[in-house]
Amino acid sequence: MVSNAIVTTMPQEQIRTNIIYVDRHNRTSRSLEKDMAAARPDGAGAQLDANLTELEDMIDTQLDELSAETYNGAVENDEATENNTKEKQCLSGLYQLWWMCIHIVYDIKVDKSDAERYSAVKQLMVYMHQALMEQLDRRFVLGFVLLFDELTLVSCDRSGVILAKTPINIHKEPEKFIQIITGFSCMSPVQLGWDPAMEIYCPISRDVQPSYKIANKFEGVYGAGRYDIHWVIDIEQEGKVERYITVAILSAIRSAEICGRATVVYEVVKFDEKENPKKTYALKRYWRPIHADLDDAELYPSEGEIYNILDEDKTDEMKHAIVCHDIKIDHEIDSTFKLIRCGQVVQPYERPVKVLPARAKRYDTDTDAELWLEIRDEVHHPDPSDLVERYHVNVLMPMGEVIKMFSCQLELLTCFRGYVEEHKYGHNKLILHRDISTGNLLIFETNDGRTFGRLMDYDHAKKASGTGKIESKIAGLSTLKLTCKRRLVGHYLERKVDDNVLDIALKWFDKEISAIAYIEDAAEFTDLSKKDSDKPLCPTDLGWADTDKTGPHDWPDFSERTPSPGKHIGTIPYMSAEVIARQSLFELSGQSKLPPFIHQAIHDVESLLWVLVRLCLTQRGPGIDMRRKELDEHSPDYNHQLKKVVVGLFEGSASQVKETKVKLVRNPDLTVFQNEVVAYFHPYFEPLKPYVCQWWAILLLGYRYRGEEFYNIHDHIIRLLDKAITEIGKDVSEDDKDRQAEIERRKKHKENRLATFGRRD
C-alpha cells in the first residue's frame, strides 16, 4: 500500500505515532443483523502492533459461525439461545477491539462530484461518530476522503465537523499527499486526538497503558464490554494531579455526541487506594459550551462557578462537587476552537444542490440508529450560528443512588422534599437548575444510616443578574379604598373569606374580577369550594402563607439573560409543558397577548412532579428492576392504555410529549389529570395519589394567575410534602420486606464496588 511505503521511508526519530494503513475498501463489512453494526471505514490508520489482520480474520470467523447457526436453525432451545447470545457478545467485543486501536479513518470514492464529496463526508462522519463512541479517551478524530485523485482533510470534534475548503489533487501535487501521510505519523497521540489523562488498567498484569497500545494483548478489554473497562484518569486536585480508577461506567449514552457535551459519568475510587478504598465517587467528564461573544459573562457561569455559589456555606460532606476544573493539556485548556482547531476560522459548508439518493431506508427505532447520519439529518441540522466553542471538564462528586432505587414511599417523599428544599436554596442564590431528571435526583446516606435527597448536576443551570421587585397592587392604598375593594370582591364570592385572603388575592391583581376568579379557583382546586361553607376561608385553607401583603416581593430576574445557542435545555421526558413548548401558555391578567417565555422556578418544580409521576406509572414498587409487566407488549399482563399514557408523557417523540403536556396544562378540569394519568398509577403508589393531584392543582394555579403559587411555589410544595410524609409515615414498618431488600441490595452493591480490585497475595 502506497501510504505504508511512504511511512517506511521516514527516519525513525521523526515518528511519534506508529501508524500502519489498512485498506478495506475492497473488503465487505458484514454484519449478522441490523442491531450488530459492523460499520467500518474503507481504510484506517491503526496502531502498528495492533494486528488488525488477525482481528479481521477473527471477526469473519465469528460471523461465519453465527451465520451458519442462524440459517441452519441451530438456535432451538434455551441453552443454544444463550450460547448464541454469548457469541454475539464476543463479536461485539471484537468490533470494539478493532476500533480501539484506530488513529485515523478515511473513505474512498471513484467519482469526484460535489454530490459524491458530500456523500463521502457524511459517511466518514458515521465512522468518526463510531470512533468517538468506542474510544472514550478520544477528544477528536482526524481523517480524509479520497475521490479518485482529490483528497479532502476532515476533522470531527465536539463543536462539529470541519473539512478543508479546497481538495488536494494527489496526482498533480504528490508532495502534499506525502506530507499528509507522514504528517499523521509525525503527530503525537495527543495531536491525533487522544486524551493523555486517560489510560486503561490491565487487571492481570496491573499495567497502565494507553488504550490503543493494548488492543493486541486483549487484556482488560476483550470480553469485558465498554462499561466494564477500568480507566485510570488524572484529576487536578489541590494543586497536584490525583489518579482515580473507574469501577464502573454509570452513563455513556452521550459519549459519541457531536455538537454537544458528550457527557460520560464514571464511578471511581482513588488509584492508590484501589485495593482497599474507603468510598467511591462519581466522576463526570463533558465538554461545556463557552459563551465568548456574550457581553455579560457573569450571567453565564461555569458549573464550577455555580458550585462555588451554592457550596460557599456548606461543609465538605455536603458540597455538590469535590473538584470541578477545566482539563488542561500542556498547561493549556483543552478547548475545541483554541487548542484543537488552533484558532482557525471556519465557514459554513454549502451543501450541493443535488445530493445522492439515500441508500437503504432506516428507522429511528433501529438499535443502531444513532450511528447513521441519514437519521441524524432527519432529526437535527445544526445551524452554523449554533456551533460554540467547548471546554473539556472534570467534575468529581459524592456518590449517591438514583431516586428510582428508593426503598419505600416514605424515603421517596422525604427525598422529594429535599429536592424542593435544595432547589429553593439555589433559587434564593439566583441559581435555577433547568435539567431535572431521574439521573440528577440522588439519594444519599448519613453516617447514622438516615437517607436524604440531593439535587445534583448543575451543568445546565443559569444565574440571574439580580432580583427584581414584584410590587403589591394594594401598596399605598388608603384604608377606605382597600375596604371598598375587599367588599366588592367579597360580594361576588359564593362563600365567606377573611380579610387576609382578600388582601393576598388583591396583592397580585389590579382588577377585582381577577382576584375573584383567583380565590374561587384556589378554593375549587384545593377542594374547599363546598366544604364548611359557613366558615370563612383563611389563607392556610388555600395553602397561602400569611405574609406581608403590601410590601414588594423579591424575585430573581432572568430577563436580561439571552437564550444559549443550540438546543433547548432540559431532559425531554421531564420538561414542563411551557419549557418544551418554548412559550407561556396563559395570558396575564389585563393583557391580551401571551407574556414572553422565561424559564422560572415553577417549571423545574413541574419537572420534579413529572419524575414522580413516571415512577408511579412505570414501577411496581421500590428497588431495582421494578418496571411494570403491564408495559411489556409481550407480557400477558400488557396494558395498552397504560403504555399509551407513558409514551404520551415520557417515551414518545418530543412533539408527542409536548402535545400531551400542553393539552393537560391548558385543560381547566382537574379531573382530566386525575382520570387520564393518576388513575394508572401502580397500586403500590395508591397513597400518593391525592398528593400528586394537589401538586398538579398548585402548578395550574401558579401558571394561570401568577400569584402565591407562582412566586412561592417551593413553600407550597414543601407544605404539601410535609403533610404527605406525616400521613404516610404512620404506616412505615421496619419489617417491610421490600424496604429491607433494597437496603440490603445497596449495602452489597457498595461492598462489591469497593472490592472491585480486592487485595491479592
Side-chain angles (χ1 to χ4, degrees):
M1 189 176 181
V2 175
S3 299
N4 288 327
I6 292 173
V7 173
T8 58
T9 66
M10 296 177 63
Q12 193 61 37
E13 62 271 15
Q14 292 183 3
I15 297 176
R16 302 178 70 185
T17 304
N18 289 310
I19 299 177
I20 184 171
Y21 290 88
V22 181
D23 184 5
R24 299 189 68 261
H25 79 279
N26 289 324
R27 187 166 186 165
T28 303
S29 286
R30 298 188 296 149
S31 62
L32 186 63
E33 53 191 38
K34 68 177 183 179
D35 63 346
M36 295 187 67
R40 284 171 288 160
D42 288 345
Q47 181 67 15
L48 180 62
D49 55 356
N51 201 347
L52 278 190
T53 302
E54 180 184 350
L55 268 175
E56 291 273 9
D57 292 341
M58 291 174 67
I59 288 172
D60 285 343
T61 300
Q62 193 74 35
L63 274 169
D64 289 339
E65 293 177 358
L66 280 166
S67 298
E69 291 177 7
T70 300
Y71 296 120
N72 293 333
V75 182
E76 297 177 349
N77 54 53
D78 291 344
E79 182 178 356
T81 301
E82 183 179 351
N83 290 335
N84 185 267
T85 301
K86 289 180 179 179
E87 289 173 356
K88 288 182 180 179
Q89 291 173 346
C90 176
L91 180 59
S92 178
L94 290 172
Y95 286 145
Q96 180 184 17
L97 272 175
W98 192 94
W99 276 105
M100 289 188 74
C101 59
I102 300 300
H103 291 297
I104 63 171
V105 293
Y106 60 87
D107 200 41
I108 300 175
K109 303 292 182 185
V110 176
D111 297 328
K112 53 181 182 180
S113 64
D114 288 342
E116 191 67 60
R117 177 175 288 105
Y118 175 65
S119 175
V121 171
K122 280 182 62 179
Q123 191 59 44
L124 188 70
M125 288 171 62
V126 172
Y127 305 136
M128 290 177 158
H129 183 269
Q130 184 72 17
L132 292 172
M133 176 177 290
E134 300 294 351
Q135 301 168 351
L136 295 181
D137 54 342
R138 202 65 185 260
R139 300 157 45 240
F140 61 93
V141 182
L142 299 176
F144 60 86
V145 294
L146 183 61
L147 279 65
F148 186 61
D149 58 0
E150 291 186 352
L151 184 148
T152 302
L153 289 169
V154 183
S155 175
C156 174
D157 58 37
R158 309 305 181 169
S159 287
V161 176
I162 59 173
L163 57 149
K165 185 176 182 180
T166 305
I168 298 166
N169 190 301
I170 63 173
H171 289 160
K172 295 179 180 179
E173 301 176 287
E175 69 281 358
K176 289 189 176 181
F177 176 69
I178 294 172
Q179 288 173 355
I180 289 170
I181 298 302
T182 57
F184 286 134
S185 293
C186 288
M187 288 180 171
S188 67
V190 172
Q191 291 171 319
L192 287 170
W194 297 96
D195 190 338
M198 289 185 71
E199 295 181 306
I200 283 181
Y201 176 74
C202 307
I204 299 175
S205 64
R206 302 190 185 185
D207 289 339
V208 178
Q209 296 185 29
S211 62
Y212 51 84
K213 287 189 175 181
I214 73 165
N216 63 317
K217 299 178 182 179
F218 298 174
E219 183 195 342
V221 180
Y222 180 52
R226 70 196 295 254
Y227 278 79
D228 297 313
I229 294 173
H230 301 298
W231 293 93
V232 178
I233 303 174
D234 295 340
I235 300 176
E236 292 181 25
Q237 194 167 356
E238 297 180 353
K240 62 180 182 179
V241 175
E242 182 82 54
R243 302 186 91 188
Y244 287 80
I245 184 169
T246 65
V247 297
I249 297 179
L250 302 177
S251 174
I253 194 170
R254 296 181 178 176
S255 62
E257 207 169 37
I258 301 172
C259 298
R261 284 174 162 79
T263 302
V264 182
V265 184
Y266 306 88
E267 187 171 0
V268 301
V269 297
K270 290 185 177 181
F271 183 78
D272 293 340
E273 300 176 355
K274 64 181 179 299
E275 293 181 351
N276 188 26
K278 298 177 178 63
K279 62 173 68 174
T280 65
Y281 307 86
L283 173 62
K284 180 174 68 171
R285 306 185 103 228
Y286 72 103
W287 294 81
R288 69 179 179 93
I290 304 300
H291 309 280
D293 296 332
L294 300 172
D295 295 332
D296 196 344
E298 291 185 2
L299 294 179
Y300 304 87
S302 67
E303 185 176 4
E305 291 168 332
I306 292 285
Y307 291 143
N308 289 339
I309 296 170
L310 292 174
D311 295 341
E312 61 181 348
D313 300 325
K314 296 191 175 183
T315 61
D316 289 343
E317 292 77 13
M318 291 302 296
K319 289 183 176 179
H320 291 82
I322 301 165
V323 175
C324 184
H325 69 86
D326 293 330
I327 297 170
K328 293 182 179 179
I329 295 180
D330 293 332
H331 308 291
E332 186 174 351
I333 292 176
D334 190 10
S335 60
T336 53
F337 286 4
K338 296 183 182 70
L339 183 62
I340 295 175
R341 300 185 181 183
C342 301
Q344 296 181 71
V345 178
V346 298
Q347 298 176 345
Y349 175 74
E350 294 184 7
R351 303 183 184 205
V353 176
K354 291 185 178 181
V355 299
L356 297 179
R359 290 169 295 168
K361 176 66 175 177
R362 300 184 64 84
Y363 300 92
D364 55 9
T365 53
D366 289 350
T367 306
D368 61 343
E370 65 175 322
L371 304 180
W372 296 87
L373 287 185
E374 288 83 358
I375 298 299
R376 291 175 62 84
D377 278 353
E378 289 173 11
V379 174
H380 179 59
H381 289 290
D383 188 277
S385 63
D386 289 346
L387 306 183
V388 296
E389 182 171 24
R390 294 181 180 274
Y391 285 4
H392 206 183
V393 181
N394 274 332
V395 185
L396 187 68
M397 301 173 286
M399 188 70 199
E401 293 278 356
V402 292
I403 186 58
K404 66 180 181 180
M405 304 299 187
F406 68 94
S407 65
C408 63
Q409 291 178 19
L410 182 61
E411 181 179 69
L412 180 66
L413 292 173
T414 301
C415 286
F416 267 89
R417 189 195 189 284
Y419 305 144
V420 179
E421 187 73 45
E422 190 154 331
H423 192 275
K424 177 184 177 182
Y425 174 82
H427 193 253
N428 288 341
K429 287 181 171 286
L430 311 184
I431 302 295
L432 196 62
H433 191 282
R434 296 198 303 167
D435 187 25
I436 304 296
S437 69
T438 52
N440 296 334
L441 304 178
L442 300 186
I443 304 170
F444 287 89
E445 186 175 337
T446 61
N447 293 331
D448 60 3
R450 292 182 296 108
T451 56
F452 61 98
R454 294 198 66 191
L455 182 56
M456 303 295 285
D457 267 355
Y458 282 75
D459 54 321
H460 288 282
K462 69 175 180 178
K463 182 180 180 297
S465 58
T467 58
K469 301 290 186 181
I470 311 298
E471 298 292 341
S472 170
K473 307 300 183 182
I474 60 174
L477 290 182
S478 66
T479 303
L480 179 60
K481 286 186 177 181
L482 180 57
T483 301
C484 290
K485 277 181 170 286
R486 287 172 179 166
R487 288 181 178 176
L488 181 60
V489 173
H491 174 75
Y492 284 98
L493 289 173
E494 294 183 358
R495 62 170 299 170
K496 297 178 181 178
V497 297
D498 70 20
D499 287 349
N500 286 324
V501 169
L502 297 172
D503 290 352
I504 292 173
L506 289 166
K507 170 184 177 179
W508 303 107
F509 304 102
D510 286 317
K511 296 183 177 181
E512 292 82 356
I513 191 171
S514 298
I516 293 168
Y518 182 33
I519 294 172
E520 287 180 339
D521 275 356
E524 180 181 351
F525 284 16
T526 51
D527 200 25
L528 291 172
S529 56
K530 296 180 181 179
K531 291 182 180 179
D532 299 324
S533 57
D534 293 332
K535 177 186 175 184
L537 280 178
C538 65
T540 54
D541 292 331
L542 302 174
W544 295 352
D546 193 6
T547 55
D548 181 13
K549 294 172 281 294
T550 58
H553 188 95
D554 290 337
W555 189 250
D557 182 10
F558 295 106
S559 61
E560 296 182 14
R561 195 182 190 281
T562 58
S564 303
K567 303 175 183 178
H568 54 232
I569 300 301
T571 303
I572 287 175
Y574 309 110
M575 284 183 182
S576 72
E578 290 194 341
V579 169
I580 198 169
R582 299 189 187 187
Q583 68 175 46
S584 299
L585 298 179
F586 296 95
E587 298 172 359
L588 297 181
S589 174
Q591 297 186 8
S592 58
K593 62 180 181 178
L594 296 173
F597 171 75
I598 299 175
H599 196 134
Q600 301 281 12
I602 193 171
H603 299 114
D604 281 2
V605 175
E606 183 186 337
S607 293
L608 283 170
L609 178 62
W610 289 127
V611 173
L612 180 58
V613 167
R614 190 176 192 179
L615 289 174
C616 295
L617 286 170
T618 60
Q619 291 202 190
R620 61 182 187 273
I624 196 170
D625 295 332
M626 294 298 288
R627 186 170 172 87
R628 293 174 69 174
K629 296 178 181 179
E630 300 97 305
L631 293 168
D632 181 1
E633 295 180 5
H634 303 291
S635 169
D637 299 323
Y638 177 63
N639 186 322
H640 174 74
Q641 189 58 38
L642 171 64
K643 181 73 172 182
K644 183 179 178 181
V645 172
V646 171
V647 169
L649 287 172
F650 307 109
E651 297 175 4
S653 65
S655 59
Q656 190 174 1
V657 173
K658 169 187 169 182
E659 181 182 355
T660 304
K661 290 183 177 177
V662 168
K663 186 177 179 181
L664 278 172
V665 169
R666 280 181 167 162
N667 197 314
D669 186 356
L670 287 177
T671 61
V672 172
F673 177 75
Q674 182 176 345
N675 296 333
E676 296 185 2
V677 179
V678 178
Y680 291 94
F681 283 10
H682 187 273
Y684 174 83
F685 298 100
E686 187 70 27
L688 272 58
K689 285 184 175 181
Y691 304 106
V692 169
C693 290
Q694 189 58 45
W695 192 331
W696 179 252
I698 291 169
L699 290 171
L700 294 193
L701 281 171
Y703 286 130
R704 294 179 185 184
Y705 293 101
R706 295 210 174 190
E708 286 295 303
E709 293 77 12
F710 186 91
Y711 290 104
N712 295 304
I713 184 64
H714 300 104
D715 293 336
H716 279 269
I717 303 304
I718 288 172
R719 283 194 293 269
L720 176 67
L721 289 172
D722 282 341
K723 181 180 178 182
I725 289 168
T726 300
E727 290 300 315
I728 290 175
K730 296 176 181 178
D731 299 325
V732 172
S733 170
E734 293 292 331
D735 299 327
D736 185 288
K737 292 182 180 180
D738 291 336
R739 176 174 176 271
Q740 290 302 324
E742 172 56 19
I743 292 173
E744 187 63 25
R745 185 204 64 81
R746 292 179 192 173
K747 180 180 177 182
K748 289 182 178 179
H749 178 77
K750 182 178 179 180
E751 291 173 350
N752 290 337
R753 287 286 199 249
L754 292 174
T756 298
F757 303 102
R759 292 188 179 277
R760 300 179 184 177
D761 296 328

